[in-house]
Amino acid sequence: MQREFSFPASFEESIDRALATYKMSLKDSKALAKCVLALSDYFITKPDSPTPWNESWAQVAYLCYYLPLNSTRLNGIFAEADKRSFFQGLERVIDFGAGLATASITLNERHKFSYQLIERASEPQQIIEKHFPQFPPQEWQRTFSSARMKDGNKTLALFSYSLTELSDLPDWAYQCEALMLVEPSTQQDGRKLLQLRQKLLEKGYHVWAPCTHEGPCPLLTQSKTDWCHDRVHFKAPQWFLNLEAELPMKNRTLTMSYLLMRKTRPTAIAAARVVGDRLKEKGKDRQMICRGFDREFLAWMHKNKMEQEIPRGVLIELPDNLQKVSNELRVSQEITIL
């Protein structure tokens, strides 16, 4: 019962059509892998440099590798957002640092919003408009400012892997009703997101996911190293598996840190979020959960001969009779997954 996602099926034809302009196809695993490795090496050696969109190998790498992976991550978040009715009442999306518009074209498969894409490079726009007809022509801009904001109370500001280089959200974002922030699942980016969460709460925003509470985050206040991140399983098509076979990187699961916040208060939910993987320890198994300002773990004592697989990231209902010992909630009956 793992949480398994993929990217929209319509993307495959679009990616293959785009690759044809480079005299490649999804069947050219070795040639595609060379482009992916070149871009990976570029990011490793020049982590603070912008994506080299002017290079054909970078365009190919994004199309065949990074777009499918990031779209799959986002589909996991969008599914969670839909469960909470996060998008209700919204009409417009401002996608900052859109790149290849992965977030917007993936969200458009679920919700037909008006999209405004902020991206300095011109190559991504050309690729999307030429090869992704399922995404109607939208407004692209190199920059955006508060003076150009329209209907902020119906607007979602979407930041997907675009906050790394910023110390704070741009001013115009605070005029938006909703915020979706997605970052790499690294310690540095994850903890930065937790700090931003606290600032947004102080500015009147409310957390819709992944948190089920608005108290101080225990991973931030009770630890100097922990950070919150989610994980989904990747249902990869065969052509992607063939490409991956040529690479040292394997992606059976995908991780990300994220926040969904709105100025509107969400419907209260009496649940806890599973925010860790199940870990085997001497005499017990433990799995971290979040429901308030305490850092807590579900604990299955081996002597009780109980086992339960709970996917990371799901919401659960906790029984009233859980025995609490220190930071552990001792499990004596099956936990209900919501």
Side-chain angles (χ1 to χ4, degrees):
M1 60 180 295
Q2 296 292 349
R3 298 160 62 225
E4 189 175 59
F5 295 91
S6 189
F7 52 93
S10 65
F11 285 16
E12 187 166 314
E13 182 179 346
S14 295
I15 294 170
D16 208 27
R17 182 167 49 243
L19 290 177
T21 64
Y22 309 94
K23 301 189 185 318
M24 295 184 185
S25 77
L26 292 175
K27 297 178 181 179
D28 298 326
S29 303
K30 290 186 178 181
L32 297 178
K34 287 182 180 180
C35 295
V36 174
L37 286 172
L39 186 57
S40 176
D41 291 342
Y42 175 89
F43 285 144
I44 291 172
T45 57
K46 301 179 181 179
D48 297 325
S49 297
T51 301
W53 285 113
N54 60 309
E55 300 287 356
S56 60
W57 47 266
Q59 296 171 21
V60 169
Y62 255 96
L63 281 164
C64 71
Y65 189 75
Y66 291 99
L67 186 151
L69 292 179
N70 290 337
S71 177
T72 300
R73 290 184 177 95
L74 289 159
N75 255 337
I77 298 172
F78 295 154
E80 193 62 35
D82 282 336
K83 289 178 186 176
R84 303 285 282 127
S85 299
F86 175 76
F87 298 110
Q88 186 173 348
L90 300 177
E91 297 179 359
R92 184 166 173 250
V93 174
I94 302 176
D95 186 349
F96 180 82
L100 206 58
T102 305
S104 290
I105 61 176
T106 304
L107 181 57
N108 187 64
E109 295 288 308
R110 295 171 175 266
H111 299 280
K112 305 304 180 185
F113 294 130
S114 169
Y115 294 89
Q116 187 161 8
L117 301 108
I118 314 303
E119 172 56 48
R120 292 183 180 276
S122 61
E123 290 86 358
Q125 178 181 356
Q126 296 166 9
I127 293 171
I128 293 300
E129 291 185 346
K130 185 175 182 180
H131 302 294
F132 287 76
Q134 67 270 46
F135 188 60
Q138 306 288 341
E139 183 180 359
W140 290 73
Q141 298 288 338
R142 288 176 57 84
T143 61
F144 192 77
S145 66
S146 298
R148 296 166 60 189
M149 176 62 67
K150 299 177 183 177
D151 296 325
N153 60 337
K154 297 180 181 179
T155 299
L156 165 67
L158 198 165
F159 296 82
S160 178
Y161 289 67
S162 57
L163 280 180
T164 303
E165 301 172 5
L166 302 178
S167 58
D168 192 7
L169 294 176
D171 290 342
W172 58 262
Y174 292 106
Q175 298 179 30
C176 297
E177 156 66 23
L179 300 171
M180 175 174 288
L181 314 173
V182 186
E183 287 297 297
S185 56
T186 62
Q187 182 186 60
Q188 179 178 348
D189 289 306
R191 289 186 70 81
K192 180 180 176 180
L193 206 57
L194 297 182
Q195 294 167 349
L196 182 56
R197 170 189 181 272
Q198 186 57 42
K199 180 176 181 177
L200 290 168
L201 287 171
E202 293 169 0
K203 284 184 171 289
Y205 280 90
H206 301 281
V207 187
W208 285 59
C211 321
T212 61
H213 68 95
E214 296 191 341
C217 175
L219 298 184
L220 185 65
T221 61
Q222 298 181 24
S223 170
K224 294 182 179 180
T225 57
D226 278 340
W227 69 100
C228 184
H229 58 286
D230 198 5
R231 175 183 286 109
V232 297
H233 288 248
F234 180 30
K235 186 177 181 181
Q238 189 58 51
W239 67 263
F240 191 95
L241 295 176
N242 294 342
L243 163 62
E244 199 173 58
E246 305 292 337
L247 297 169
M249 309 89 78
K250 309 302 176 189
N251 295 280
R252 300 286 58 77
T253 65
L254 305 174
T255 58
M256 61 280 183
S257 295
Y258 76 96
L259 278 175
L260 306 181
M261 304 190 76
R262 290 188 61 158
K263 292 180 178 178
T264 302
R265 189 183 297 274
T267 302
I269 180 169
R273 177 85 64 185
V274 176
V275 294
D277 297 318
R278 183 162 171 161
L279 303 174
K280 292 190 175 295
E281 302 179 5
K282 185 176 181 180
K284 60 191 171 187
D285 291 357
R286 300 207 310 168
Q287 193 163 12
M288 186 183 292
I289 65 167
C290 187
R291 59 172 177 168
F293 54 79
D294 284 331
R295 190 166 174 268
E296 296 180 310
F297 297 81
L298 294 177
W300 290 265
M301 309 308 292
H302 292 171
K303 64 181 180 181
N304 294 334
K305 301 188 183 302
M306 281 194 63
E307 288 189 5
Q308 185 179 0
E309 291 296 327
I310 303 180
R312 185 189 189 114
V314 300
L315 292 171
I316 57 173
E317 181 180 325
L318 297 177
D320 295 331
N321 61 348
L322 281 174
Q323 178 189 9
K324 185 164 185 177
V325 179
S326 184
N327 64 355
E328 293 181 354
L329 302 173
R330 301 283 173 87
V331 178
S332 59
Q333 66 188 75
E334 186 165 292
I335 299 295
T336 301
I337 298 174
L338 301 180

